[in-house]
Amino acid sequence: WIRLEWEGPRTIDCIVLYDRDTGEGQIRKGILRFSDGSTVEVGDFSDGAFGKTVTFPAKTVCWVAFQVTESKGVNIGLTEIEVYQSAQMK
């Protein structure tokens, strides 16, 4: 799992997760957990390092965590995670 935390609240509505492209393992499913107590299930990761875009209604949070709940192989992990501010806040 990984957790990103900010000094203050952020309003976000999109996260892009990049699976490792090692050929040894792959994330199949996971769950995003937010500081407001909400969760978003994530599935259908593609093979390779292409980003999995997850959108959701805007939420104001201080942190977000991603936990792998299903995988195959070894050396499971992300290469990158991007968190985007809601267009409402730009």
Side-chain angles (χ1 to χ4, degrees):
W1 60 270
I2 183 171
R3 179 171 154 161
L4 303 175
E5 189 166 341
W6 301 278
E7 290 183 14
R10 301 285 190 264
T11 300
I12 62 174
D13 63 2
C14 179
I15 295 177
V16 183
L17 303 164
Y18 294 87
D19 194 7
R20 294 179 64 190
D21 189 18
T22 63
E24 298 176 344
Q26 178 189 7
I27 296 171
R28 295 284 195 186
K29 296 180 183 178
I31 190 164
L32 288 164
R33 299 180 192 280
F34 300 91
S35 62
D36 67 356
S38 65
T39 60
V40 173
E41 291 188 22
V42 182
D44 302 323
F45 274 80
S46 300
D47 284 327
F50 301 105
K52 170 70 174 174
T53 301
V54 183
T55 58
F56 43 85
K59 53 182 82 232
T60 302
V61 295
C62 296
W63 59 261
V64 60
F66 177 71
Q67 180 179 1
V68 175
T69 58
E70 185 179 313
S71 62
K72 71 171 188 174
V74 296
N75 295 324
I76 306 304
L78 297 172
T79 58
E80 186 175 347
I81 181 172
E82 300 172 350
V83 179
Y84 290 94
Q85 182 173 301
S86 171
Q88 298 171 8
M89 300 304 295
K90 293 180 182 175

